[in-house]
Amino acid sequence: MIRVHALRTGSVFVRPSQIIGRAPFRRLRPFLERGWSAALPILAFLIEHPEGLFLVDSGESPRAMTRSYFPPWHPYFRLAVRFAIADEQAIDVQLRTLGVAPSDLRAVVLTHFHTDHAGGLAHLPPLRTLVTRIEWQLAQGTAGQVRGYFLDHLPQGFRPEFIRFDADPPAPFPRAMSLTSDGAVMIVPTPGHTSGHVSVLVTTPAQRFLIAGDVSYTEAALAARAIDGVSPNPRSARKTLATIAAFAEASAAAARPFIYLPTHDPDSEARLDAAISR
């Protein structure tokens, strides 16, 4: 049996223009706005498969609530984001609540290296951790910190395994890596929010789930093909949205429901619960 669980590792508040980007000055607006979004979840997802347990993203660490966690010079973390994370929302605690020992995980897949997706690795034992080579390269040095990647928050000696897109992809995705021998759990490239962003496709006999990281902040943004306010490559982001929309349409035509699960969508947990209860 295959099952997907949502793990809430806290909440984040961002500027509304980050959720839906607005021209002109799309990438500048999140620094200039005064209002905040409602609390958005920071979700990680646990996949149960007969071949093992897979974690997609690790959420953020409760250490993000300390003043020294982010560099004081960073304008984004000073002006454009706020976190609310309790100690009991750390990823290791969330896993144990489900009866899962972190050491039992077969692998962790990072959709990308932003701190609210990778920061929770500090609460996990050494595990096989998969990420694209380009994400690892983008995370290096001061330039990586400017992009929101903080390698100093990761466990000492951490080294990822690079994703190899060597499996036959489900159309219209151009490439894929299978995590299971039956192809039920696959990593697919979904660049846009970051250049090396990936999503994880979980296929069951009745449904398809796409654990989508930050492809978009909401399902409504996917439907509108609306990119966010921080994606560095709008053309790539729009192409990814179109690819996922086409995949969803093909799933509907095959009478196989498609459940879209972005990290920060307030409705992701409800969509997942509704799908499981069918």
Side-chain angles (χ1 to χ4, degrees), residues 128-133 158-164 177:
R128 180 191 184 203
T129 303
L130 294 152
V131 70
T132 57
R133 184 183 296 272
F158 171 83
R159 285 293 182 273
E161 176 181 328
F162 297 131
I163 293 168
R164 303 179 314 278
M177 174 180 176

Side-chain angles (χ1 to χ4, degrees), residues 167-191:
D168 291 333
F173 292 104
R175 296 181 296 163
M177 174 180 176
S178 184
L179 289 175
T180 57
S181 60
D182 60 1
V185 183
M186 303 191 86
I187 305 172
V188 292
T190 51

Side-chain angles (χ1 to χ4, degrees), residues 37-103:
S37 69
L40 307 178
I42 306 171
L43 299 175
F45 292 89
L46 178 69
I47 303 168
E48 289 186 66
H49 184 277
E51 295 180 17
L53 299 167
F54 300 90
L55 183 68
V56 183
D57 288 338
S58 62
E60 183 55 282
S61 169
R63 298 169 191 170
M65 302 304 296
T66 62
R67 185 178 293 272
S68 61
Y69 189 73
F70 297 114
W73 54 262
H74 203 300
Y76 179 77
F77 292 94
R78 288 179 52 241
L79 302 173
V81 67
R82 293 178 179 172
F83 292 98
I85 306 170
D87 289 345
E88 62 269 20
Q89 292 178 306
I91 188 63
D92 57 330
V93 180
Q94 292 292 301
L95 288 167
R96 291 190 179 97
T97 299
L98 288 178
V100 174
S103 59

Side-chain angles (χ1 to χ4, degrees), residues 21-246:
R22 293 190 294 123
F25 311 117
R26 175 180 61 87
R27 297 183 69 189
L28 184 60
R29 284 181 180 274
F31 296 94
L32 302 177
E33 278 188 321
R34 295 187 175 219
W36 293 97
S37 69
L40 307 178
I42 306 171
L43 299 175
F45 292 89
L46 178 69
I47 303 168
E48 289 186 66
H49 184 277
E51 295 180 17
L53 299 167
F54 300 90
L55 183 68
V56 183
D57 288 338
S58 62
E60 183 55 282
S61 169
R63 298 169 191 170
M65 302 304 296
T66 62
R67 185 178 293 272
S68 61
Y69 189 73
F70 297 114
W73 54 262
H74 203 300
Y76 179 77
F77 292 94
R78 288 179 52 241
L79 302 173
V81 67
R82 293 178 179 172
F83 292 98
I85 306 170
D87 289 345
E88 62 269 20
Q89 292 178 306
I91 188 63
D92 57 330
V93 180
Q94 292 292 301
L95 288 167
R96 291 190 179 97
T97 299
L98 288 178
V100 174
S103 59
D104 290 340
L105 295 172
R106 181 170 172 183
V108 179
V109 179
L110 295 180
T111 60
H112 59 301
F113 245 121
H114 281 163
T115 181
D116 55 331
H117 296 257
L121 290 176
H123 299 272
L124 298 175
L127 293 165
R128 180 191 184 203
T129 303
L130 294 152
V131 70
T132 57
R133 184 183 296 272
I134 189 171
E135 281 294 298
W136 182 245
Q137 292 170 339
L138 290 170
Q140 304 303 311
T142 302
Q145 291 189 334
V146 171
R147 298 183 183 104
Y149 305 109
F150 298 99
L151 297 186
D152 58 326
H153 294 168
L154 302 180
Q156 188 172 7
F158 171 83
R159 285 293 182 273
E161 176 181 328
F162 297 131
I163 293 168
R164 303 179 314 278
F165 292 114
D166 54 5
D168 291 333
F173 292 104
R175 296 181 296 163
M177 174 180 176
S178 184
L179 289 175
T180 57
S181 60
D182 60 1
V185 183
M186 303 191 86
I187 305 172
V188 292
T190 51
H193 181 75
T194 69
S195 297
H197 193 287
V198 298
S199 297
V200 177
L201 177 64
V202 181
T203 301
T204 73
Q207 299 163 320
R208 287 170 167 165
F209 302 85
L210 188 71
I211 301 171
D214 289 354
V215 166
S216 67
Y217 282 82
T218 64
E219 188 176 50
L222 170 67
R225 312 289 199 276
I227 65 171
D228 64 39
V230 294
S231 295
N233 189 329
R235 174 182 288 184
S236 181
R238 289 191 181 96
K239 184 176 180 180
T240 288
L241 291 171
T243 297
I244 293 173

